[in-house]
Amino acid sequence: MNFNIAVLAGDGIGPEISRQAVAVMKAVCQVAGHRVKFTDALVGAAAIDAVGDPFPPETEKLCLDSDAILFSAVGDPKYDLDPNAEVRPEQGLLAMRKKLGLFANIRPVQAFAPLLHQSPLRAELVAGADFICIRELTGGMYFGEKVETADFASDVNAYSKGEVVRILRIAFEYARKRRKFLTVVDKANVLATGRLWRKTAQEMSTNYPDVTVEYMYVDNAAMRMIREPAHFDVMVTENTFGDILTDEGSVISGSLGLLSSASLGEKTPLFEPIHGSFPQAKGKNIANPLAQILSVAMLFEYFDCPDEGALIRQAVDASLQANIRTADIQAPGVEPCSTTRVGEWIINYIQRR
């Protein structure tokens, strides 16, 4: 198989972790007999600094012409600390989602056996946790009409039924491929949009009689994720709730540096880690590359290459078992590894298979 991949390393630690993921994908393609071509493009603060646009037309065209996008992170303190900045790196991410029609974020959450001690939750609570959060990405308050004056602000939380149907369809299909259990998260007791989500899910459930569906208010879901994370299989929710819940899910694995995600929709699929640009670590070769590397596993699985995805997951598990870890997840008393050391170890593991 031939892969044509757009690489959007972005800002902060993005270029460092991106290099490791690209190298891992090259190694897997070599082992499996695939051909891959990578093309770099600007996004975020790097793009603003270069051309004044966080998602330039050239980057958009490359994304549309590629089979998939390997994205890292955007964000820079010089924009975060300037409340008057009219152009921000994060606008590039939102523009990319909108222009590429990336309406569904698929975010696996799992507990890694060697790292149960890393979670702030008790090991017996997180052991066995393995679920997927599916978040709607292009609707709701993030994209609704906004009003902002000196003494008033509002963000419209709007959804059409069509937007709800298409994300729920993906959620039902994922549930069918897993343990056939779907949790629809809303706030139907307060929000009209929540009632639209719930009624639409109830209507669609008749087309998926093999999937058990439960409905849960977002506050209850947030609590259950902490008290009983192994309860969930597939969770689906709207944009704002999903943003919060998926980051909450990172405490189950013990580090944001372990969780990858995919954004799917109308055009080119995108694969990325869930963490931000971590500017404090920029250039220090200490960032955890595993989430970015695991996003490559998701990329292979999306293109129906499960063996390639499984090989990457095996390599990551083996690196954790061998204490080849960056400082954020290293065992007490063990010297932490650099970003490049982790990547090189995983590549060597892959090449020996």
Side-chain angles (χ1 to χ4, degrees):
M1 185 171 181
N2 294 335
F3 293 99
N4 185 18
I5 308 298
V7 180
L8 277 58
D11 308 321
I13 62 170
E16 298 167 66
I17 60 173
S18 178
R19 282 193 290 272
Q20 304 311 314
V22 166
V24 167
M25 186 168 182
K26 285 181 179 177
V28 174
C29 285
Q30 185 176 26
V31 169
H34 302 306
R35 301 182 69 177
V36 60
K37 176 186 176 183
F38 297 100
T39 306
D40 297 322
L42 294 170
V43 70
I48 297 174
D49 292 345
V51 298
D53 185 343
F55 187 57
E58 296 82 3
T59 299
E60 180 183 355
K61 184 178 187 304
L62 173 65
C63 291
L64 291 172
D65 292 341
S66 300
D67 298 315
I69 304 160
L70 190 61
F71 170 74
S72 298
V74 296
D76 190 286
K78 68 182 176 183
Y79 296 99
D80 297 340
L81 299 175
D82 182 4
N84 298 315
E86 295 184 0
V87 182
R88 297 179 180 275
E90 292 75 15
Q91 292 171 344
L93 180 57
L94 296 179
M96 180 163 54
R97 290 172 180 170
K98 198 70 173 180
K99 291 180 178 181
L100 300 181
L102 300 173
F103 64 84
N105 182 242
I106 316 300
R107 190 171 293 188
V109 177
Q110 70 177 101
F112 295 84
L115 300 177
L116 294 182
H117 67 283
Q118 289 289 134
S119 174
L121 303 178
R122 296 199 310 272
E124 62 267 27
L125 289 179
V126 297
D130 178 10
F131 62 96
I132 292 178
C133 292
I134 298 180
R135 167 191 170 193
E136 201 286 326
L137 269 186
T138 57
M141 285 192 291
Y142 287 13
F143 290 91
E145 181 182 351
K146 301 182 185 302
V147 175
E148 186 173 4
T149 68
D151 54 6
F152 176 83
S154 70
D155 298 276
V156 175
N157 188 34
Y159 274 104
S160 68
K161 186 168 184 176
E163 289 175 312
V164 178
V165 166
R166 66 183 184 179
I167 189 73
L168 286 174
R169 184 179 296 119
I170 289 177
F172 274 108
E173 293 296 336
Y174 264 88
R176 267 189 167 169
K177 296 173 184 176
R178 289 174 53 91
R179 301 193 298 273
K180 298 180 171 56
F181 181 49
L182 176 64
T183 304
V184 179
V185 177
D186 59 38
K187 195 64 176 171
N189 58 334
V190 176
L191 301 178
T193 49
R195 290 188 286 275
L196 175 64
W197 275 73
R198 184 166 295 207
K199 286 188 291 187
T200 304
Q202 289 170 340
E203 292 169 2
M204 293 178 65
S205 66
T206 60
N207 298 321
Y208 299 89
D210 53 328
V211 176
T212 299
V213 184
E214 70 170 355
Y215 301 90
M216 193 176 292
Y217 295 145
V218 63
D219 41 358
N220 186 26
M223 179 183 68
R224 292 289 291 276
M225 281 180 65
I226 297 301
R227 296 185 61 182
E228 194 184 356
H231 167 81
F232 297 101
D233 179 26
V234 177
M235 173 192 295
V236 62
T237 191
E238 57 104 74
N239 202 346
T240 305
F241 296 161
D243 192 4
I244 297 166
L245 289 175
T246 49
D247 279 359
E248 181 188 2
S250 67
V251 304
I252 294 168
S253 67
S255 173
L256 284 171
L258 291 166
L259 299 181
S260 57
S261 73
S263 295
L264 314 177
E266 301 165 1
K267 299 172 185 175
T268 313
L270 179 146
F271 303 88
E272 61 179 311
I274 74 164
H275 56 70
S277 61
F278 195 13
Q280 300 89 338
K282 178 181 177 180
K284 297 181 179 180
N285 199 23
I286 61 173
N288 189 343
L290 293 185
Q292 182 84 84
I293 290 170
L294 287 169
S295 74
V296 177
M298 294 188 73
L299 187 158
F300 278 118
E301 290 157 357
Y302 175 85
F303 287 101
D304 198 26
C305 297
D307 293 341
E308 289 84 337
L311 178 56
I312 292 175
R313 296 186 188 281
Q314 291 165 11
V316 168
D317 287 344
S319 73
L320 295 176
Q321 292 285 358
N323 284 333
I324 305 299
R325 314 176 193 173
T326 48
D328 58 312
I329 56 172
Q330 186 54 287
V334 181
E335 184 73 19
C337 297
S338 67
T339 306
T340 52
R341 169 63 175 146
V342 172
E344 289 168 355
W345 195 96
I346 289 173
I347 290 167
N348 288 336
Y349 181 97
I350 289 169
Q351 292 173 336
R352 293 196 305 268
R353 295 303 99 186

